[in-house]
Amino acid sequence: MKNLLMLGTAKGSKEIILEAKQRGYHTIVTDYLDPKDSRAKLVSDEYWMISTSDFDTLETMCKDRNIDGICNGISTFNISATMELTKRLHMPCYCTPESWHYTIDKRDFKDACIKNNVPVAKDYYLSEEPTAEELESITYPVVVKAIDQSANRGMSYCFSSEEISGAIKKAKSVSNSDTVVIERMLKGHEYTAWYALADGKASLINFAKMYHKDGYPSNCYSITTTYTDNLDLYLKEVDKNIKKVFSDIGCKEGIAWIEMMLDEDGHFYVIEMGYRMSGDMMALVHKNVCNFNSYGWLLDIAVGIKHTANDLPKFEEKLPESVGCSYILWSKKGGTITKWDGFETLNNKYNINVETTLGVGSKVEKHQYLAVITFNTSNYLEMCEAIRFINNNVEIWNENENIIVYYDDLESLKIE
């Protein structure tokens, strides 16, 4: 029997643990949290109360307990911890610090895209104290963002030179770097593409479209769905060269995704990448709809099962027959959750899965994840029916009101 150690709990952790248990592995989860706050502990065979940053103790425990593989969910800290611990123990890990770096550093990732002819938004470079000439060279509007943050943290839209200085300060305030990205502002829909990697090769698992509720921040994406358009355009403009990027930056195994925007000029522009599963739990959708098991793929690597290019899934050249969807419930206001209602009605409907760390008593901020709901249906109409069913049944209240941002513009999801 193989012994698997999971570092902490994050999105995807529980699913990898369940995959391991199905294989007959003995599963252990470690962090310093109580099991009620570290959900993977509730489904594992055993747990340790050892922080994932306590490498010396974990190294000793792994040797004493004959651990065969170490893995993690999407937690960026625990991905780094996994790399450190597997290095000490001479065990496999799907990524290296050098390849992981491109998930964190948008500037270096963008440079890798430019080198490999992947379309990206036009850049502007400013001195520490921008000159009048540099500022006049910019064609507005532009986006100013931190190089090491995701989910649009520290990002600003600037429509004139008077706004640049404040935007730079805002980006630096959330960043560990003095470098910021200033680029042409794109306008259009965002899309995501996920890839499986093996032996330095990559294959497209799925291409999906993203939607946010009008009137709320553009980074609050409510719906990500495999029911999409423009797959042919993506394969033509991006797919071939983004594979070159993955190879060039050392992403040789595991799972990676990229986000991009289809600009109003009719072309795709790549924005960022992640060398891990995505936080929208689309890996569960891919398992159900695209016949690819990301959890099993990452588990294989952790326990030393080597993939070859022949093991890669056939790349997606047409849309799946069924429809998969991730529906993220965002908060429109902050406060303390006083009612969490209706989620039990979702059981056994549309293959729904609910992922959340919150409940009654939890404190939340405005525009925060409340829950991630994934499901799959046979077609677009049934997808809309499932979203409507969720909207009609679930409520999350703060002290005064229901705070869920419901996505209800279902007509906008229709592909012409």
Short mmCIF file of all heavy atoms in Angstrom, two decimals, residues 106 143-157 167 170-171 174 183 190 210 212 216-221 257 259 261 271-272 330:
data_model
loop_
_atom_site.label_atom_id
_atom_site.label_comp_id
_atom_site.label_asym_id
_atom_site.label_seq_id
_atom_site.Cartn_x
_atom_site.Cartn_y
_atom_site.Cartn_z
N LYS A 106 4.09 37.99 -13.81
CA LYS A 106 3.40 38.27 -15.07
C LYS A 106 4.34 38.85 -16.12
O LYS A 106 4.19 38.60 -17.32
CB LYS A 106 2.25 39.25 -14.83
CG LYS A 106 1.04 38.69 -14.11
CD LYS A 106 -0.03 39.75 -13.99
CE LYS A 106 -1.33 39.19 -13.43
NZ LYS A 106 -1.18 38.75 -12.04
N VAL A 143 -4.03 49.47 -18.76
CA VAL A 143 -4.18 48.75 -17.50
C VAL A 143 -2.84 48.80 -16.78
O VAL A 143 -1.80 48.57 -17.40
CB VAL A 143 -4.60 47.29 -17.71
CG1 VAL A 143 -4.73 46.56 -16.37
CG2 VAL A 143 -5.89 47.21 -18.48
N VAL A 144 -2.85 49.11 -15.50
CA VAL A 144 -1.65 49.05 -14.66
C VAL A 144 -1.87 47.97 -13.62
O VAL A 144 -2.89 47.98 -12.91
CB VAL A 144 -1.38 50.41 -13.97
CG1 VAL A 144 -0.13 50.30 -13.09
CG2 VAL A 144 -1.21 51.51 -15.01
N LYS A 145 -0.95 47.00 -13.54
CA LYS A 145 -1.15 45.91 -12.59
C LYS A 145 0.17 45.42 -12.01
O LYS A 145 1.24 45.57 -12.61
CB LYS A 145 -1.89 44.75 -13.27
CG LYS A 145 -1.30 44.24 -14.56
CD LYS A 145 -2.26 43.28 -15.24
CE LYS A 145 -1.72 42.80 -16.58
NZ LYS A 145 -2.66 41.92 -17.30
N ALA A 146 0.08 44.82 -10.84
CA ALA A 146 1.24 44.22 -10.19
C ALA A 146 1.66 42.98 -10.96
O ALA A 146 0.82 42.26 -11.53
CB ALA A 146 0.90 43.85 -8.75
N ILE A 147 2.96 42.71 -10.98
CA ILE A 147 3.43 41.55 -11.75
C ILE A 147 3.21 40.24 -11.03
O ILE A 147 3.26 39.17 -11.65
CB ILE A 147 4.92 41.67 -12.13
CG1 ILE A 147 5.82 41.54 -10.88
CG2 ILE A 147 5.21 42.95 -12.87
CD1 ILE A 147 7.28 41.33 -11.20
N ASP A 148 2.94 40.29 -9.71
CA ASP A 148 2.92 39.05 -8.93
C ASP A 148 1.59 38.82 -8.23
O ASP A 148 1.52 38.09 -7.24
CB ASP A 148 4.06 39.06 -7.90
CG ASP A 148 4.03 40.29 -6.99
OD1 ASP A 148 3.16 41.15 -7.18
OD2 ASP A 148 4.89 40.37 -6.10
N GLN A 149 0.50 39.41 -8.74
CA GLN A 149 -0.81 39.23 -8.13
C GLN A 149 -1.80 38.71 -9.17
O GLN A 149 -1.68 38.99 -10.35
CB GLN A 149 -1.32 40.54 -7.54
CG GLN A 149 -0.49 41.08 -6.39
CD GLN A 149 -0.51 40.19 -5.18
OE1 GLN A 149 -1.56 39.67 -4.80
NE2 GLN A 149 0.64 39.98 -4.57
N SER A 150 -2.78 37.96 -8.68
CA SER A 150 -3.83 37.45 -9.56
C SER A 150 -5.16 38.04 -9.12
O SER A 150 -5.23 38.82 -8.17
CB SER A 150 -3.88 35.92 -9.48
OG SER A 150 -4.12 35.50 -8.15
N ALA A 151 -6.24 37.65 -9.82
CA ALA A 151 -7.60 38.10 -9.51
C ALA A 151 -7.71 39.63 -9.50
O ALA A 151 -8.53 40.21 -8.78
CB ALA A 151 -8.08 37.53 -8.17
N ASN A 152 -6.87 40.29 -10.31
CA ASN A 152 -6.93 41.75 -10.49
C ASN A 152 -6.62 42.55 -9.23
O ASN A 152 -6.97 43.73 -9.15
CB ASN A 152 -8.30 42.17 -11.04
CG ASN A 152 -8.54 41.63 -12.43
OD1 ASN A 152 -7.63 41.15 -13.08
ND2 ASN A 152 -9.78 41.70 -12.87
N ARG A 153 -5.95 41.93 -8.24
CA ARG A 153 -5.56 42.68 -7.06
C ARG A 153 -4.52 43.74 -7.44
O ARG A 153 -3.52 43.44 -8.08
CB ARG A 153 -4.98 41.74 -5.98
CG ARG A 153 -6.04 40.89 -5.29
CD ARG A 153 -5.43 40.10 -4.14
NE ARG A 153 -4.55 39.07 -4.63
CZ ARG A 153 -4.93 37.83 -4.92
NH1 ARG A 153 -6.21 37.50 -4.80
NH2 ARG A 153 -4.07 36.93 -5.34
N GLY A 154 -4.78 44.99 -7.01
CA GLY A 154 -3.87 46.09 -7.31
C GLY A 154 -3.97 46.62 -8.72
O GLY A 154 -3.15 47.46 -9.12
N MET A 155 -4.97 46.20 -9.47
CA MET A 155 -5.09 46.62 -10.86
C MET A 155 -5.91 47.89 -11.00
O MET A 155 -6.87 48.11 -10.26
CB MET A 155 -5.74 45.50 -11.68
CG MET A 155 -5.69 45.73 -13.18
SD MET A 155 -6.51 44.42 -14.10
CE MET A 155 -8.22 44.92 -13.95
N SER A 156 -5.52 48.74 -11.95
CA SER A 156 -6.26 49.98 -12.23
C SER A 156 -6.40 50.17 -13.73
O SER A 156 -5.53 49.77 -14.51
CB SER A 156 -5.52 51.20 -11.65
OG SER A 156 -5.36 51.10 -10.27
N TYR A 157 -7.48 50.81 -14.14
CA TYR A 157 -7.66 51.26 -15.52
C TYR A 157 -7.36 52.75 -15.56
O TYR A 157 -7.90 53.52 -14.75
CB TYR A 157 -9.08 51.00 -16.00
CG TYR A 157 -9.46 49.53 -16.04
CD1 TYR A 157 -10.45 49.04 -15.18
CD2 TYR A 157 -8.84 48.66 -16.92
CE1 TYR A 157 -10.80 47.69 -15.21
CE2 TYR A 157 -9.19 47.31 -16.95
CZ TYR A 157 -10.17 46.84 -16.10
OH TYR A 157 -10.50 45.52 -16.12
N ALA A 167 -2.03 54.87 -10.02
CA ALA A 167 -2.20 53.46 -10.37
C ALA A 167 -0.93 52.66 -10.08
O ALA A 167 -0.99 51.52 -9.61
CB ALA A 167 -2.58 53.33 -11.84
N LYS A 170 -0.71 52.07 -6.39
CA LYS A 170 -1.68 51.04 -5.99
C LYS A 170 -1.14 49.65 -6.30
O LYS A 170 -1.23 48.73 -5.47
CB LYS A 170 -3.01 51.27 -6.70
CG LYS A 170 -4.07 50.23 -6.35
CD LYS A 170 -5.37 50.51 -7.10
CE LYS A 170 -6.41 49.44 -6.82
NZ LYS A 170 -7.68 49.70 -7.56
N ALA A 171 -0.57 49.46 -7.49
CA ALA A 171 -0.03 48.16 -7.87
C ALA A 171 1.13 47.75 -6.96
O ALA A 171 1.21 46.61 -6.51
CB ALA A 171 0.42 48.19 -9.32
N VAL A 174 0.48 46.27 -3.25
CA VAL A 174 0.09 44.88 -3.02
C VAL A 174 1.14 43.91 -3.55
O VAL A 174 0.92 42.70 -3.56
CB VAL A 174 -1.27 44.56 -3.67
CG1 VAL A 174 -2.36 45.46 -3.09
CG2 VAL A 174 -1.21 44.72 -5.19
N GLU A 183 -0.09 48.18 -19.82
CA GLU A 183 -0.38 47.66 -21.15
C GLU A 183 -1.72 48.16 -21.65
O GLU A 183 -2.56 48.64 -20.89
CB GLU A 183 -0.38 46.13 -21.13
CG GLU A 183 -1.42 45.52 -20.22
CD GLU A 183 -1.29 44.01 -20.06
OE1 GLU A 183 -0.21 43.47 -20.37
OE2 GLU A 183 -2.26 43.39 -19.60
N GLU A 190 -13.44 37.15 -21.59
CA GLU A 190 -12.29 36.34 -21.22
C GLU A 190 -12.60 34.86 -21.44
O GLU A 190 -13.75 34.42 -21.32
CB GLU A 190 -11.88 36.59 -19.77
CG GLU A 190 -11.11 37.90 -19.60
CD GLU A 190 -10.30 37.95 -18.31
OE1 GLU A 190 -9.76 36.91 -17.89
OE2 GLU A 190 -10.22 39.04 -17.73
N MET A 210 -15.85 32.70 -20.06
CA MET A 210 -16.11 33.22 -18.72
C MET A 210 -17.04 34.44 -18.79
O MET A 210 -16.96 35.23 -19.72
CB MET A 210 -14.79 33.61 -18.06
CG MET A 210 -13.77 32.49 -18.03
SD MET A 210 -12.08 33.06 -17.76
CE MET A 210 -12.18 33.67 -16.07
N HIS A 212 -19.04 37.58 -16.28
CA HIS A 212 -19.27 38.22 -14.99
C HIS A 212 -20.58 38.99 -15.05
O HIS A 212 -21.04 39.40 -16.12
CB HIS A 212 -18.11 39.15 -14.61
CG HIS A 212 -18.07 40.45 -15.35
ND1 HIS A 212 -17.53 40.56 -16.61
CD2 HIS A 212 -18.52 41.69 -15.01
CE1 HIS A 212 -17.63 41.81 -17.02
NE2 HIS A 212 -18.24 42.52 -16.07
N TYR A 216 -20.79 44.56 -11.66
CA TYR A 216 -19.85 44.11 -10.65
C TYR A 216 -18.45 44.04 -11.27
O TYR A 216 -18.31 44.02 -12.49
CB TYR A 216 -20.28 42.75 -10.09
CG TYR A 216 -21.51 42.85 -9.23
CD1 TYR A 216 -22.78 42.77 -9.80
CD2 TYR A 216 -21.40 43.08 -7.86
CE1 TYR A 216 -23.93 42.90 -9.02
CE2 TYR A 216 -22.54 43.20 -7.08
CZ TYR A 216 -23.79 43.12 -7.65
OH TYR A 216 -24.92 43.27 -6.88
N PRO A 217 -17.41 44.02 -10.44
CA PRO A 217 -16.05 44.03 -10.99
C PRO A 217 -15.81 42.91 -11.99
O PRO A 217 -16.32 41.80 -11.84
CB PRO A 217 -15.17 43.85 -9.74
CG PRO A 217 -15.98 44.40 -8.62
CD PRO A 217 -17.41 44.05 -8.96
N SER A 218 -15.03 43.23 -13.02
CA SER A 218 -14.81 42.27 -14.10
C SER A 218 -14.06 41.03 -13.65
O SER A 218 -14.12 39.99 -14.31
CB SER A 218 -14.04 42.93 -15.25
OG SER A 218 -12.78 43.40 -14.80
N ASN A 219 -13.37 41.10 -12.50
CA ASN A 219 -12.66 39.91 -12.02
C ASN A 219 -13.58 38.98 -11.23
O ASN A 219 -13.17 37.88 -10.87
CB ASN A 219 -11.47 40.31 -11.13
CG ASN A 219 -11.88 41.08 -9.90
OD1 ASN A 219 -12.54 42.11 -9.99
ND2 ASN A 219 -11.50 40.59 -8.73
N CYS A 220 -14.81 39.41 -10.97
CA CYS A 220 -15.77 38.55 -10.27
C CYS A 220 -16.49 37.66 -11.30
O CYS A 220 -17.68 37.86 -11.60
CB CYS A 220 -16.77 39.39 -9.49
SG CYS A 220 -16.07 40.26 -8.08
N TYR A 221 -15.76 36.69 -11.82
CA TYR A 221 -16.35 35.83 -12.84
C TYR A 221 -17.31 34.83 -12.21
O TYR A 221 -16.91 34.01 -11.39
CB TYR A 221 -15.26 35.12 -13.65
CG TYR A 221 -14.69 36.05 -14.68
CD1 TYR A 221 -13.52 36.75 -14.45
CD2 TYR A 221 -15.37 36.28 -15.88
CE1 TYR A 221 -13.02 37.64 -15.38
CE2 TYR A 221 -14.90 37.17 -16.81
CZ TYR A 221 -13.71 37.85 -16.56
OH TYR A 221 -13.24 38.75 -17.47
N TRP A 257 -2.87 26.25 -17.02
CA TRP A 257 -3.96 26.96 -17.71
C TRP A 257 -3.49 28.36 -18.07
O TRP A 257 -2.54 28.90 -17.49
CB TRP A 257 -5.22 27.05 -16.85
CG TRP A 257 -5.03 27.54 -15.45
CD1 TRP A 257 -4.91 26.78 -14.33
CD2 TRP A 257 -4.94 28.91 -15.00
NE1 TRP A 257 -4.75 27.58 -13.21
CE2 TRP A 257 -4.75 28.89 -13.61
CE3 TRP A 257 -4.98 30.13 -15.66
CZ2 TRP A 257 -4.62 30.05 -12.84
CZ3 TRP A 257 -4.85 31.30 -14.90
CH2 TRP A 257 -4.68 31.24 -13.52
N GLU A 259 -5.27 32.32 -19.17
CA GLU A 259 -6.44 33.16 -19.38
C GLU A 259 -6.11 34.16 -20.47
O GLU A 259 -4.97 34.62 -20.60
CB GLU A 259 -6.83 33.89 -18.10
CG GLU A 259 -7.48 32.99 -17.08
CD GLU A 259 -8.04 33.74 -15.89
OE1 GLU A 259 -7.96 34.99 -15.88
OE2 GLU A 259 -8.53 33.09 -14.96
N MET A 261 -8.13 37.21 -23.42
CA MET A 261 -9.31 37.98 -23.79
C MET A 261 -9.43 38.04 -25.30
O MET A 261 -8.44 38.20 -26.00
CB MET A 261 -9.24 39.40 -23.22
CG MET A 261 -10.51 40.21 -23.46
SD MET A 261 -10.52 41.79 -22.56
CE MET A 261 -10.80 41.22 -20.88
N ILE A 271 -3.28 36.78 -21.16
CA ILE A 271 -3.12 37.66 -20.01
C ILE A 271 -2.20 37.05 -18.95
O ILE A 271 -1.26 37.69 -18.48
CB ILE A 271 -4.48 37.99 -19.38
CG1 ILE A 271 -5.38 38.70 -20.41
CG2 ILE A 271 -4.32 38.84 -18.12
CD1 ILE A 271 -6.82 38.83 -19.97
N GLU A 272 -2.46 35.82 -18.53
CA GLU A 272 -1.67 35.21 -17.48
C GLU A 272 -1.79 33.69 -17.54
O GLU A 272 -2.61 33.15 -18.29
CB GLU A 272 -2.09 35.70 -16.09
CG GLU A 272 -3.51 35.33 -15.70
CD GLU A 272 -3.86 35.84 -14.30
OE1 GLU A 272 -2.96 35.93 -13.45
OE2 GLU A 272 -5.05 36.13 -14.07
N TRP A 330 -20.52 35.05 -5.58
CA TRP A 330 -19.75 36.14 -4.98
C TRP A 330 -20.62 36.90 -3.99
O TRP A 330 -21.85 36.88 -4.08
CB TRP A 330 -19.27 37.12 -6.06
CG TRP A 330 -18.31 36.54 -7.04
CD1 TRP A 330 -18.60 35.89 -8.20
CD2 TRP A 330 -16.88 36.57 -6.95
NE1 TRP A 330 -17.45 35.51 -8.85
CE2 TRP A 330 -16.37 35.92 -8.10
CE3 TRP A 330 -15.98 37.09 -6.02
CZ2 TRP A 330 -15.01 35.77 -8.34
CZ3 TRP A 330 -14.61 36.95 -6.25
CH2 TRP A 330 -14.14 36.29 -7.40
#
